[in-house]
Amino acid sequence: MKLLLPILALCLLTSCYTAERNCSDFKTGTFEFSYTIDGTERTSRFKRTEDLNIDYHEGVEDSSSVRWINDCEFILKKLHPTSNTEKEAIHMKILSTSEDSYTFEYKRAIKRANRPSRVEKGTARRVN
């Protein structure tokens, strides 16, 4: 019983914590993020407007439409897909923000039948 009250108080205090999310600050701008493929770290840059996302990846420019669900979530859909996989829309969600970066997660917007949903995370940094 003596231990129950401190545990309850700790649970109440930690459950009130929410990550800072000033998502509207990151709706537009130029950003970059780093990722690793086969042990090699690479950096990609993208520019986002209210309704367009332009990726600059290894010298190739690729455009996607942006449809905002709310201030922190949007759907990306390639404008010129070259494969069936690229035809699938991506659901992006901003999880937390800081002064010049945001942490996000993304997954397919439509779940494939009989396949687990794969969620990836990353951090984008404002460069302009």
Side-chain angles (χ1 to χ4, degrees):
M1 188 67 179
K2 291 180 183 180
L3 198 56
L4 183 62
L5 189 56
I7 291 174
L8 182 61
L10 182 62
C11 288
L12 287 174
L13 290 174
T14 58
S15 67
C16 294
Y17 173 78
T18 57
E20 181 181 350
R21 291 194 333 165
N22 296 320
C23 301
S24 59
D25 294 347
F26 296 97
K27 277 189 158 185
T28 61
T30 303
F31 306 92
E32 66 181 24
F33 69 99
S34 297
Y35 58 96
T36 304
I37 294 180
D38 297 329
T40 304
E41 185 169 324
R42 300 177 186 186
T43 300
S44 182
R45 185 174 282 221
F46 62 95
K47 181 177 182 177
R48 186 168 53 236
T49 65
E50 283 286 330
D51 56 356
L52 191 64
N53 192 79
I54 304 167
D55 290 310
Y56 304 98
H57 177 67
E58 296 182 358
V60 177
E61 191 174 298
D62 196 9
S63 300
S64 300
S65 65
V66 176
R67 182 174 54 88
W68 288 92
I69 300 169
N70 58 46
D71 276 349
C72 295
E73 296 180 61
F74 58 96
I75 303 293
L76 284 177
K77 185 155 177 83
K78 296 253 187 209
L79 294 178
H80 307 287
T82 57
S83 68
N84 285 335
T85 302
E86 287 187 357
K87 290 179 182 178
E88 297 177 357
I90 303 295
H91 178 240
M92 305 284 292
K93 182 177 183 179
I94 298 174
L95 302 174
S96 64
T97 63
S98 68
E99 186 175 318
D100 67 344
S101 67
Y102 65 92
T103 302
F104 62 91
E105 71 178 22
Y106 64 95
K107 62 182 178 180
R108 285 189 178 92
I110 299 173
K111 186 179 180 320
R112 289 181 174 176
N114 300 321
R115 292 198 180 166
S117 184
R118 188 172 129 191
V119 178
E120 299 287 337
K121 290 187 179 184
T123 300
R125 184 178 58 84
R126 184 184 300 277
V127 292
N128 67 343

